[in-house]
Amino acid sequence: LIALLRVKTVNLVELSTGFRSNAKTESSHKRLQRFFRNFDLNYAAIAKAVITLMDIPQPWVLSTDRTEWSFGEKRFNLLFLGIVHDGIAYPIIWSALEKKGNSNSDERMDLVDRFYELFPNAEVAYLTGDREFVGKQWLTYLLIEPVIQFRLRIRESDRIFDGKKQLRASIVFAHLQPGQTKVLSGKRLVWGR
């Protein structure tokens, strides 16, 4: 930790130069590599510590997101669940997806289940998600008891059914300008729910 404060980076090669010892820098670097190879982080404890330190008041707004990036030949596809506070989503639970592309309903449901295992008494205002976080199975899960309120972005190609006719979202909201909103009256079906 002292070396980290000295060199102000988490790069292990540079961090090893911040050790005050008679050992060679290469030896310190190997020592750091051995430490992190065998060190297991308690992610649940980290999530609880972040929430405690940030003192985020309930009810919480949850945010789901996914990121995919490459590091050399290695690809990373990570699914996150975060708590939004002051415009920032603090990721507290995540899963590494062993595939390319979008998450599926099972992976999302697992993330929310893990959240409630970690925070069983959490009050949730609602869950947000982008266009990837859609589908009948996912919505069914959010609507079972206890219901998780949600605000999910839909695709312009998604169909909205009012009981008589079914229209694409792009048609239903075609007259709106960016930033404008519209509340649809009555019940509407989207993705079969």
Side-chain angles (χ1 to χ4, degrees), residues 7 11 24 33 49 54 59 73 122 153 157-158 168 178 187:
V7 299
N11 180 304
K24 292 181 179 179
Q33 287 176 316
M54 295 304 300
E73 295 293 316
R153 188 172 173 198
S157 60
D158 288 330
R168 290 169 37 115
K187 289 187 178 183

Side-chain angles (χ1 to χ4, degrees), residues 58 60 116 118-124:
Q58 294 191 38
W60 291 332
Y116 277 112
L118 198 56
F119 302 102
N121 301 317
E123 295 175 37
V124 175

Side-chain angles (χ1 to χ4, degrees), residues 128-139:
T128 65
D130 208 352
R131 293 174 294 210
E132 171 182 335
F133 301 94
V134 298
K136 187 173 184 177
Q137 184 182 3
W138 173 235
L139 282 187

Side-chain angles (χ1 to χ4, degrees), residues 60-175:
W60 291 332
V61 173
L62 303 180
S63 173
T64 54
D65 202 1
R66 187 184 57 83
T67 184
E68 192 171 347
W69 44 276
S70 298
F71 186 73
E73 295 293 316
K74 180 73 175 161
R75 293 190 63 78
F76 296 92
N77 190 5
L78 303 171
L79 178 64
F80 290 94
L81 183 101
I83 297 176
V84 179
H85 181 61
D86 290 336
I88 299 170
Y90 295 92
I92 55 164
I93 298 175
W94 54 89
S95 292
L97 304 179
E98 300 298 324
K99 62 180 184 179
K100 292 181 182 179
N102 290 353
S103 62
N104 62 42
S105 293
D106 289 333
E107 292 159 341
R108 295 177 217 142
M109 292 183 294
D110 176 61
L111 214 59
V112 175
D113 288 344
R114 287 173 43 211
F115 167 80
Y116 277 112
E117 286 172 13
L118 198 56
F119 302 102
N121 301 317
E123 295 175 37
V124 175
Y126 56 90
L127 176 135
T128 65
D130 208 352
R131 293 174 294 210
E132 171 182 335
F133 301 94
V134 298
K136 187 173 184 177
Q137 184 182 3
W138 173 235
L139 282 187
T140 301
Y141 170 82
L142 294 175
L143 293 170
I144 61 173
E145 291 298 325
V147 172
I148 301 171
Q149 298 293 320
F150 55 87
R151 296 180 184 172
L152 301 173
R153 188 172 173 198
I154 63 175
R155 297 180 209 101
E156 63 180 21
S157 60
D158 288 330
R159 304 216 174 252
I160 300 172
F161 183 63
D162 66 3
K164 296 176 185 166
K165 61 183 176 229
Q166 186 170 281
L167 296 172
R168 290 169 37 115
S170 61
I171 295 169
V172 174
F173 300 109
H175 63 286

